[in-house]
Amino acid sequence: MFTREHATAWCIGMLTCFALQLLVGPQSNAPKTTTGHLKRTNDKAFVLHVQLRFTTASAAERLLADWRPVANYCLANEPFLFSYEIAQSDKNPLLFSMYERYRSKTDYLERHKASAAFLAFREKMKAMQDAGEVAVSGESFVELGVGFV
């Protein structure tokens, strides 16, 4: 027999489920990586790929130390910047690659490049270039939205 207590318990259970759904949000069936990160498609981001070739390990360490505050600033203050990472070659310890993904080229040119954090870093990297400690090359691209990140 369905009693008033059953009805009350059922209502409380449903309200609890509803409240949890509001707090947690809907569960996505989107593909995920093995670490649980969602795989995103169709960002069509503006991408910079910059290669850094250092003459010494100490020059590379100095640049990384100068780059870290910029990366922290970007993480906290640039929501239009989808990813900002640097990688070291597994074959040549003096070769690095920066990979930057922006919502648009305009965001890169008018917002990121105008930040005090970027300008301070750029000045230090330019001094290293002028001293012959690092050679910088790179290209820019627009993603086609065919794959995923």
Side-chain angles (χ1 to χ4, degrees):
M1 171 195 254
F2 194 74
T3 66
R4 183 176 181 173
E5 289 81 18
H6 288 113
T8 302
W10 182 84
C11 286
I12 291 171
M14 291 303 293
L15 288 173
T16 302
C17 288
F18 179 70
L20 284 172
Q21 188 70 346
L22 287 176
L23 290 172
V24 175
Q27 296 301 312
S28 173
N29 289 329
K32 295 180 178 78
T33 66
T34 56
T35 58
H37 293 94
L38 289 177
K39 293 182 178 182
R40 291 189 329 275
T41 61
N42 213 27
D43 282 342
K44 297 189 179 176
F46 174 74
V47 177
L48 287 182
H49 178 244
V50 179
Q51 191 172 70
L52 307 168
R53 190 173 299 273
F54 294 93
T55 55
T56 64
S58 63
E61 290 168 9
R62 279 198 329 274
L63 188 115
L64 284 174
D66 291 337
W67 188 76
R68 195 166 279 114
V70 181
N72 291 336
Y73 170 85
C74 292
L75 179 63
N77 298 291
E78 296 189 0
F80 53 85
L81 181 50
F82 298 155
S83 58
Y84 196 65
E85 183 59 90
I86 190 164
Q88 185 177 28
S89 169
D90 61 344
K91 297 176 186 84
N92 178 352
L94 298 179
L95 181 61
F96 290 75
S97 176
M98 289 178 154
Y99 190 74
E100 307 172 30
R101 297 179 67 247
Y102 297 86
R103 178 180 56 196
S104 69
K105 186 174 185 176
T106 301
D107 287 330
Y108 166 68
L109 293 173
E110 296 178 7
R111 297 176 74 188
H112 175 75
K113 285 185 74 173
S115 72
F118 172 82
L119 292 171
F121 168 74
R122 185 64 188 105
E123 185 178 316
K124 293 174 184 177
M125 188 168 77
K126 178 78 169 99
M128 292 180 78
Q129 286 176 272
D130 292 344
E133 295 177 293
V134 63
V136 179
S137 62
E139 293 290 334
S140 60
F141 303 87
V142 176
E143 292 176 348
L144 299 177
V146 176
F148 68 91
V149 293

